[in-house]
Amino acid sequence: MARPELAWLAGFLRDFPGPLGPAEPPPWTASTALLRPDETAAELTEGARGFLGRRGAPPLLAASLIHAAVSGILQSDLGDLKKQNLDQDEASDSGTLLEAAPLQRRFFNKLLEICREWQKELPALKPSKRYLQISIHATRNTRRKMEDRHVSLPEFNQLFGLEDDVDRAYFAVYDGHGGIEAANYAAAHLHVNMAHHEKLLENPAEALRDSFQKTDEMFLLRARREKLRSGTTGVSCFLVDDKLHVAWLGDSQVMLVQQGKVITLMEPHKPEREDERQRIEDLGGCITYMDCWRVNGTLAVSRAIGDLLQKPYISGCADGASFELTGTEDYVLLACDGFFDAIQPGEVVDHVLEHLTQNHGDGLQTAERLVAAAKESGSTDNITVLVLFLREPKDIVADCLRDPKASPVDEGAPGSFFSFGANN
């Protein structure tokens, strides 16, 4: 019986038997017409992930194909794709800009070339050793636009060509405001910036934290060129073997549940936080109350990617934390404020356990249940929930039945193997 990867390659090559010609449009639309050279890897990766995902490519195969194609393109001469005669706005953020459409076309043809090679001899596709079951659900809710974005990358190693024996997986939720551009940009670029960080292998916590500021700086260059005013909060978690690294800007949050108890991993960046208020006032800004505490009377968060007109009061420097996993952890949950403004962490444990019990330990629809609970509790905002089960949901239910008095008390950082790292 043919491997599913080979069957997929055969079908893909039947649909695309030859390279795209110079006048043929790429199979997906670029986020912008012009790219700086430091944006190309992320933009090509993001476009290909969406395209191959929609075509049902096996995830490990898709990630490995994208890595091979991106590497091939970055090692080639892209000089003929430079836009000539830049106008003043275009020239202000970079001396070099590449035309996105012909770059995508060249990248897609490289992808086809690799597919043909791999159809003849498929390389080894090494799966993760870690148990992960992922449940994700997102809804526009009653808002006019959906400005949340999320990233789920259990195939992190394959996407970036990491061949050591270390298990890695990356997950994030971004909550945009004032438009979707900043959230889209962060969802495409932040994990790529982390993967290319010089300290990724020796200090992944620092690489994760730094990638927020790097992404903020990169987006601000595009925002100036394209006159974008949007921003986004963000929360990410990076699993590296038995370590959980988290980093965040703003009020999207991550929580950990261990043996039915909530472990606090972070404190959101809100203007009323005393240290945030002091930082903003020291810069000459102000915190005012207008239905909630706001920076300069506008934003209800004090740190974010983007928000060009509110820099430096809205900081792009992330806070981070690391947690040593012992194997007793149940799950990690990432969500935007549309969820956490309606559901308290202790309630999460009750909702999850009730759902797992009713569904005989099947956790795949857990995020959908949590989103429904937030709506029932009055949330009208965009809602995104991402649940990472670190052990079998059936075992979580069984443990609770053996110890029904287990209480979802918030342990907090002081009593855990937990360490904060911050950039102020």
Side-chain angles (χ1 to χ4, degrees):
M1 182 179 296
R3 290 179 59 180
E5 293 85 359
L6 291 174
W8 186 89
L9 287 171
F12 186 69
L13 291 171
R14 279 195 303 270
D15 292 343
F16 298 96
L20 298 177
E24 292 184 83
W28 62 83
T29 303
S31 66
T32 185
L34 298 171
L35 294 170
R36 298 192 313 276
D38 64 346
E39 295 178 306
T40 56
E43 294 288 339
L44 294 175
T45 296
E46 182 66 10
R49 286 186 68 230
F51 175 72
L52 296 180
R54 290 188 295 273
R55 294 189 62 88
L60 288 178
L61 175 66
S64 300
L65 283 170
I66 293 168
H67 170 70
V70 169
S71 297
I73 288 296
L74 294 182
Q75 292 168 13
S76 65
D77 183 4
L78 302 178
D80 60 319
L81 301 182
K82 293 179 183 178
K83 184 183 178 186
Q84 306 300 320
N85 304 316
L86 298 177
D87 64 32
Q88 185 173 357
D89 287 338
E90 292 169 346
S92 65
D93 78 5
S94 175
T96 301
L97 290 173
L98 304 176
E99 297 190 66
L103 175 65
Q104 284 182 285
R105 190 161 42 241
R106 187 173 299 182
F107 171 74
F108 183 73
N109 288 340
K110 171 61 72 173
L111 193 67
L112 284 178
E113 177 187 322
I114 294 168
C115 285
R116 285 191 289 270
E117 293 173 1
W118 288 14
Q119 190 181 33
K120 298 173 185 176
E121 185 176 357
L122 187 67
L125 302 174
K126 183 179 176 183
S128 171
K129 301 186 295 290
R130 172 186 294 281
Y131 174 84
L132 277 181
Q133 184 180 102
I134 304 163
S135 178
I136 305 171
H137 192 67
T139 180
R140 177 171 58 88
N141 209 1
T142 65
R143 291 296 178 93
R144 187 168 60 89
K145 294 181 179 179
M146 179 57 164
E147 295 180 325
D148 288 357
R149 290 294 183 266
H150 63 267
V151 178
S152 174
L153 271 182
E155 308 86 19
F156 186 90
N157 283 350
Q158 291 77 14
L159 192 63
F160 297 108
L162 300 171
E163 298 180 350
D164 55 19
D165 290 327
V166 177
D167 266 343
R168 299 178 183 86
Y170 173 88
F171 304 91
V173 168
Y174 302 101
D175 183 359
H177 49 260
I180 192 59
E181 301 91 356
N184 280 342
Y185 196 91
H189 286 265
L190 200 148
H191 55 279
V192 177
N193 287 333
M194 181 180 71
H196 295 162
H197 194 286
E198 62 181 4
K199 292 187 178 179
L200 173 71
L201 301 184
E202 64 182 86
N203 193 339
E206 181 178 344
L208 175 59
R209 195 168 61 244
D210 287 354
S211 64
F212 276 80
Q213 186 166 10
K214 174 68 173 176
T215 304
D216 181 45
E217 293 167 354
M218 291 172 64
F219 178 71
L220 292 177
L221 291 175
R222 182 180 290 189
R224 292 187 185 98
R225 188 179 83 231
E226 299 185 0
K227 298 179 173 57
L228 306 175
R229 300 294 180 257
S230 59
T232 184
T233 68
V235 60
S236 298
C237 85
F238 189 33
L239 287 164
V240 183
D241 275 348
D242 59 352
K243 293 288 183 65
L244 170 65
H245 305 289
V246 301
W248 68 95
L249 287 174
D251 56 3
S252 293
Q253 297 185 53
V254 56
M255 57 175 277
L256 175 68
V257 175
Q258 181 181 46
Q259 296 180 312
K261 295 181 174 61
V262 176
I263 308 295
T264 297
L265 298 186
M266 57 166 287
E267 183 180 0
H269 296 123
K270 293 191 175 184
E272 59 266 35
R273 245 179 69 172
E274 187 56 38
D275 56 342
E276 289 295 274
R277 176 191 291 271
Q278 188 65 52
R279 177 183 63 80
I280 291 163
E281 291 177 347
D282 287 348
L283 290 168
C286 66
I287 305 299
T288 58
Y289 191 86
M290 301 173 62
D291 72 281
C292 66
W293 291 103
R294 297 180 182 273
V295 179
N296 298 331
T298 57
L299 294 177
V301 295
S302 55
R303 300 196 191 194
I305 289 169
D307 293 309
L308 176 63
L309 298 182
Q310 290 292 335
K311 297 298 187 190
Y313 313 109
I314 301 298
S315 172
C317 296
D319 279 343
S322 295
F323 189 91
E324 187 168 350
L325 301 176
T326 64
T328 60
E329 294 78 17
D330 299 335
Y331 52 90
V332 177
L333 181 144
L334 298 88
C336 62
D337 69 322
F339 176 76
F340 279 110
D341 284 350
I343 301 292
Q344 296 299 310
E347 296 177 288
V348 169
V349 177
D350 295 334
H351 284 300
V352 171
L353 184 58
E354 183 179 3
H355 173 77
L356 294 180
T357 303
Q358 291 174 349
N359 289 273
H360 311 290
D362 184 349
L364 291 178
Q365 303 302 316
T366 303
E368 188 172 353
R369 167 65 180 270
L370 291 169
V371 168
K375 293 172 69 174
E376 291 167 4
S377 295
S379 177
T380 59
D381 200 355
N382 298 158
I383 307 174
T384 298
V385 174
L386 196 160
V387 182
L388 314 174
F389 286 102
L390 301 178
R391 61 193 189 102
E392 289 274 6
K394 290 181 180 179
D395 294 340
I396 296 172
V397 175
D399 287 350
C400 183
L401 292 175
R402 280 194 294 269
D403 184 15
K405 295 181 180 180
S407 172
V409 175
D410 187 339
E411 296 291 333
S416 65
F417 301 105
F418 185 67
S419 60
F420 278 104
N423 282 337
N424 296 315

